Every structure is written in C-alpha cells, then in structure tokens.
Amino acid sequence: MSSQKNETDVLVLTLLIVAGGLAGGFWWLTRNSSTSVELSDPQPRSISTPNTSDITSDPELSGSSFSGVSGIPKGLFSYGGSTSWAAIRQAIDPQIRAAYPEFQLRFVEPTNASPGTSIGIRMLIEGRLTFAQSSRPLQDREVSRAQQRGFNLKEIPVAIDGLAIAVHPSLNIPGLTLAQLKAIYTGKANNWKQLGGPNLPIQPYSRPMSEGGTVELFIQDVLAGQALAANVEFVGTTTQALQKLASNRGGIYYASAPEIVPQCRIRPLPLGRQSGQFTPPYQEPLVTANNCPQRRNQLNTDAFQTGQYPLTRNLYVVVKQDDDLAQQAGEAYAKLLLTQQGQSAIANAGFVRMR
C-alpha cells in the first residue's frame, strides 16, 4: 500500500513539473512574440497634448482687455521667429499698438536665412531680438547656449496649434495613422495602395529642417528622430507646397493647421493613433472644394483642446531671464496675448485659445 502511494506521489509530482514547464514555455513564447511585434512596428510618439497648467497665473490675466495689464514698457522692441505665428502677428499687433502706442513692436527677419523658430531663438540668444516666437518647446542646446552667455530662457505658452496633413482633394483615403504617416516620410511607404488608397505613387513634400520649428517637431515626434526619406521634395514655403499638391494627386504635405484647414484647393486629412479611429483637424462635415471659398473649413477646436486630435502643440513666447527691459517687454507681450482680448484675437487668427 505504501509502495503504491509513493508511486502515485511521484506521478503527480512529475505531471506538475511537466505542466509548469509547458506553462512557462507558453509564457516565454507569447512574451517574446509580443516584443518582436512591438519592435518590428514601432509607433511614433504623438505630439504631446498641450499642458495648460504652465499658463502664467498672474491675476491680471483674468481681465478682459489689454488696458488691465500693467508694467508695459516704453520703447522699440524687436522680435521674430516662427512663420506659424504670422496670422497671430497680423491679428494682434495692431490692437497692441492701439492700446499702447509707446510699446512699439518690430518684426525682424534674418538677413541670410529664412525666418523660423530656430533662427528666431538663435537671434534672441545672440542679442539681436528682444523676444522670440516659437512653434515648439525649447531644446536643451538652446538652453545651454543661453546659459553660456549668462542668462536663462523661459517659454510662455499662449496658444494651441496643431499640424495638419494636406493631400489632393481627389485622393480616396479615409485618413492616416501616425505610423502610416511616419512610413511615408521615412520612405517605407511609397504608393497609396500600401495604405488602402489607389495605386498611385506618393510624393511627400516638406520644408527644409533648417527653416522651421514645425519641421523639427515633425521629425522629433512623428518620425521619432529618423531622417526624412530621399524621395521627400523640399519646398521653400507652404504656399509653394499647396500649389504643388493642387496639381499632384499623389502629393502629401504637413504644416500648421490654420495654414492648411481653410484652404480650398487641397483636402485636410483626418489622423488617428490607431487604424479606423481618425479625427479630422476640421469641424465636420467637410466643406468640399466646389463650396469654397463661399464656405471654408474651420478648425476642430474641441479636438485640439482635449488632445483627441493626435498632432497638437503649444505656441510659445520665448523670453530672456536677465531682469532688464528685454525681459519686461517679452513678458508684457505674453501677458497681453493671455488676456481675454488677446485670446480672442488668437482664435480669430485661426488658432485655439489657451485660456
């Protein structure tokens, strides 16, 4: 009887060991299978949802108009930077001039380069600007360069923007995921048929990386730092890119959403983090080309504010922290933009309110 019991115990123990080994092997295989899928199809990091907790908490900003802001300096102050800011400059500078005629603002373009975020911040660090307008966060190297010159930089978020993708109006495709967008601009997808569209070669367009914060942000956060593919055709301006798209059914381009969404001769493309879950950068229903310019597409402000649209960003005023008139002027400019009057002007320019 004792012998039979021992044999039974040994059998049970053997079965348990075998079962444990099989379970462990199954876990190892499924774990490694999951890891290999993730590595073979990495997802690009979407541009982070704007953090409105960074907004200056100055009580003056609860006022409705520019007249409630104190500490506006007198003098002529130079600024420059992002081309994405052009519509805001046009909308808000005349209002500032009317409210504070002695607070004179002058937009300065670089002499040997095209205007853009990077060149604007560099000119600020070199002392050629009072403050800068940026379409991306400060980079570590810019912070370090400023510190080497004896001062710090502060970025003040004043508006929400996003990147919109433009294609030819006739392109029959419901939208793109961020992974598909990355595949296009890194050269892994070169025909729309690979992405569920027609059998048509893809021609991606981009501004050069040296000319704008928009391009730098796209490469960093959509392409995960990878270089633009060899088939990407560079254009000098968004206007030139949209002209090319209007005559190229396979073309694609990215830019600041207010530069793309209202245009008549292209189609803004919905985007998603996952396939089949696309969010348009415009308010639905889409206004088609034959109804434009009598009606134009409007920015999808709710999706931008909540982060449902995957390519959103902040626009910043970049200010020197050196306790002199330049810091006072830059902070005053940011305060004016963050009042209700300033935020209304920003919204009228086609961007999304920060406050």
Side-chain angles (χ1 to χ4, degrees):
M1 187 72 178
S2 175
S3 174
Q4 290 180 346
K5 182 178 183 303
N6 289 337
E7 290 176 357
T8 302
D9 289 344
V10 170
L11 179 60
V12 170
L13 181 59
T14 302
L15 290 173
L16 288 173
I17 292 172
V18 171
L22 289 172
F26 178 78
W27 173 85
W28 186 89
L29 287 171
T30 55
R31 178 180 181 272
N32 280 272
S33 173
S34 172
T35 303
S36 65
V37 170
E38 182 179 350
L39 293 175
S40 64
D41 186 23
Q43 295 293 315
R45 180 165 57 92
S46 63
I47 297 177
S48 57
T49 303
N51 183 359
T52 55
S53 65
D54 292 334
I55 298 176
T56 305
S57 57
D58 195 309
E60 288 181 326
L61 301 183
S62 62
S64 60
S65 68
F66 291 163
S67 60
V69 178
S70 61
I72 307 296
K74 299 178 181 180
L76 177 61
F77 303 100
S78 300
Y79 72 100
S82 171
T83 57
S84 298
W85 273 76
I88 296 178
R89 289 192 286 267
Q90 294 171 4
I92 210 164
D93 282 14
Q95 296 184 40
I96 293 176
R97 192 178 307 115
Y100 296 98
E102 294 182 321
F103 182 49
Q104 302 175 44
L105 300 173
R106 178 181 63 180
F107 180 76
V108 177
E109 292 197 13
T111 54
N112 297 317
S114 299
T117 290
S118 294
I119 188 66
I121 294 174
R122 184 178 18 164
M123 291 171 68
L124 172 65
I125 295 172
E126 294 173 351
R128 291 186 282 161
L129 296 179
T130 305
F131 60 88
Q133 296 171 327
S134 176
S135 59
R136 58 159 173 79
L138 285 166
Q139 297 176 348
D140 291 343
R141 55 188 170 87
E142 293 166 339
V143 174
S144 298
R145 196 178 302 137
Q147 290 173 344
Q148 290 170 4
R149 288 178 172 259
F151 55 85
N152 291 316
L153 295 176
K154 178 170 72 171
E155 55 188 23
I156 305 172
V158 295
I160 299 173
D161 183 22
L163 302 188
I165 307 303
V167 295
H168 192 275
S170 68
L171 184 67
N172 185 19
I173 190 170
L176 289 173
T177 66
L178 296 180
Q180 290 173 328
L181 186 60
K182 178 182 178 182
I184 289 173
Y185 275 91
T186 54
K188 294 180 180 178
N190 50 38
N191 192 298
W192 286 108
K193 189 175 182 180
Q194 297 173 257
L195 307 174
N199 184 10
L200 185 68
I202 300 174
Q203 177 54 68
Y205 298 103
S206 174
R207 291 175 63 205
M209 183 174 177
S210 60
E211 294 189 6
T214 298
V215 185
E216 292 174 322
L217 198 65
F218 184 84
I219 291 174
Q220 174 186 320
D221 287 351
V222 177
L223 306 190
Q226 294 187 33
L228 292 166
N231 68 325
V232 173
E233 182 177 333
F234 293 107
V235 292
T237 66
T238 292
T239 299
Q240 293 173 0
L242 298 183
Q243 289 171 346
K244 287 180 175 289
L245 278 185
S247 59
N248 187 341
R249 292 182 55 241
I252 183 171
Y253 178 70
Y254 64 93
S256 176
E259 296 179 289
I260 296 293
V261 170
Q263 298 295 327
C264 293
R265 300 176 66 190
I266 54 88
R267 176 190 167 204
L269 200 62
L271 295 177
R273 295 179 177 89
Q274 298 178 1
S275 181
Q277 299 180 9
F278 301 124
T279 300
Y282 52 83
Q283 296 178 21
E284 295 184 291
L286 175 71
V287 177
T288 56
N290 58 348
N291 291 319
C292 188
Q294 290 78 16
R295 294 171 52 218
R296 291 182 183 268
N297 284 302
Q298 302 295 315
L299 214 60
N300 191 351
T301 54
D302 288 344
F304 277 54
Q305 286 177 327
T306 61
Q308 181 182 0
Y309 183 75
L311 294 185
T312 54
R313 62 178 177 177
N314 288 340
L315 297 183
Y316 301 92
V317 178
V318 181
V319 183
K320 283 184 176 181
Q321 297 293 280
D322 53 5
D323 296 322
D324 67 2
L325 198 59
Q327 178 176 344
Q328 185 181 353
E331 291 180 348
Y333 182 77
K335 282 184 179 182
L336 291 168
L337 267 63
L338 287 168
T339 62
Q340 292 183 29
Q341 181 178 349
Q343 293 289 287
S344 294
I346 283 171
N348 290 336
F351 294 84
V352 179
R353 297 170 181 262
M354 200 77 189
R355 298 173 62 83

